[in-house]
Amino acid sequence: MIYFDKVTKKYPNESIALCDVTLSVHPKEFVSVVGHSGAGKTTLLKMILGEERPTKGAVFFESVKIHDLKKDDINNYRRRVGTIFQDFRLLPHLTVFENIAFAMQACGRSDEEIISDVPHVLELVDLSKKISSFPGELSGGEKQRVAIARAIVNQPDIIIADEPTGNLDPASTYDIVQILKKINDLGTTVILTTHNKGIIDSLQRRVITMENGKIVQDDKDGRFSMQD
Ligand code: ADP
C-alpha cells in the first residue's frame, strides 16, 4: 500500500535525512520504526504525509505517487491518513467533543454523523466520561486517547503515530499501545515511531531500525536491535 522507491531526502542545509530508502508497508500491517534521534524517522513519516518531497526516488500510496498529487488531491489523500503526535496537538479552548467534531467538520461530515460518531470513538478509547472536559482538565494519557479518537473518527486507512508515548508514564504508555493494537486489529495500518524497547517487545510486530537515514534492519518478529 505504501512503497518507498529508492528515496533520498537532502534538506536545503545539506542534511541527508533519508538515503536510498526502499520500503513496502502492506495494508493492515503494524510497523514500528526505531532509531536514535536524527536517524530519519520523522522525515520518513513526513514523506508518507506528503509534507516533504523526496530529493530522489518516489513514495507511492497504492499506485499513486504522493508527491505528484495536486493540492485538492493531496488534501483528500491526507484524510485517509490519521496522525498522532507526542505533544497531542489538541485545541485547548475546545472540549473533547468539540476537538473531535472539528476534525469531522474539516472532512465535510454532517452534524448527524458528528453526534453519532463522536461518542462511539470515545467509547473505543474508553473516555466517554470526559466528553465535555477541556484538554487542560485531562491527564497526558487521556489527552493522547482524545488525539487517537480524533485520528480515527474519519476512518483513515493508515494511522501515523510519531512518538505517541514520549510524554507518558508507563501505565498510560501501556494503554495507548493497547488502543493502537485494537485499531490495527480492526483493520487500520499503523506506523509508529518509538524509542521504547518495552513497546517493541510487547507488540511482537514488524520493526524497522533506522540509522543515518538508512534502514539497517527490518525484522518481522519485532526485535529491538538498537544499541544505546
Ligand atoms: P528523527 O525523527 O529520527 O529524529 P529526522 O527525520 O527528524 O530524524 O531528522 C533526520 C536528519 O535530518 C537530522 O540530521 C536532522 O537534523 C535533519 N533534518 C530534519 N528536518 C530538517 C529540516 N527541516 N531542515 C534541515 N534538516 C533537517
Side-chain angles (χ1 to χ4, degrees), residues 11-13 15-17 35-44 46 52:
Y11 284 108
N13 67 356
S15 275
I16 297 178
H36 291 295
S37 185
K41 305 180 296 294
T42 302
T43 302
L44 189 89
K46 285 183 172 170
E52 291 288 353

Side-chain angles (χ1 to χ4, degrees), residues 9-18 33-46 52 162-163 193 195 210 212-213:
K9 174 65 185 178
K10 193 181 196 185
Y11 284 108
N13 67 356
E14 302 291 304
S15 275
I16 297 178
L18 296 177
V33 182
V34 303
H36 291 295
S37 185
K41 305 180 296 294
T42 302
T43 302
L44 189 89
L45 299 187
K46 285 183 172 170
E52 291 288 353
D162 195 5
E163 287 278 352
T193 68
H195 279 99
M210 294 191 69
N212 297 325

Side-chain angles (χ1 to χ4, degrees), residues 208-225:
I208 290 169
T209 308
M210 294 191 69
E211 226 173 80
N212 297 325
K214 292 194 171 134
I215 294 177
V216 293
Q217 188 153 357
D218 187 345
D219 196 312
K220 298 274 177 278
D221 304 321
R223 257 181 300 140
F224 191 88
S225 58

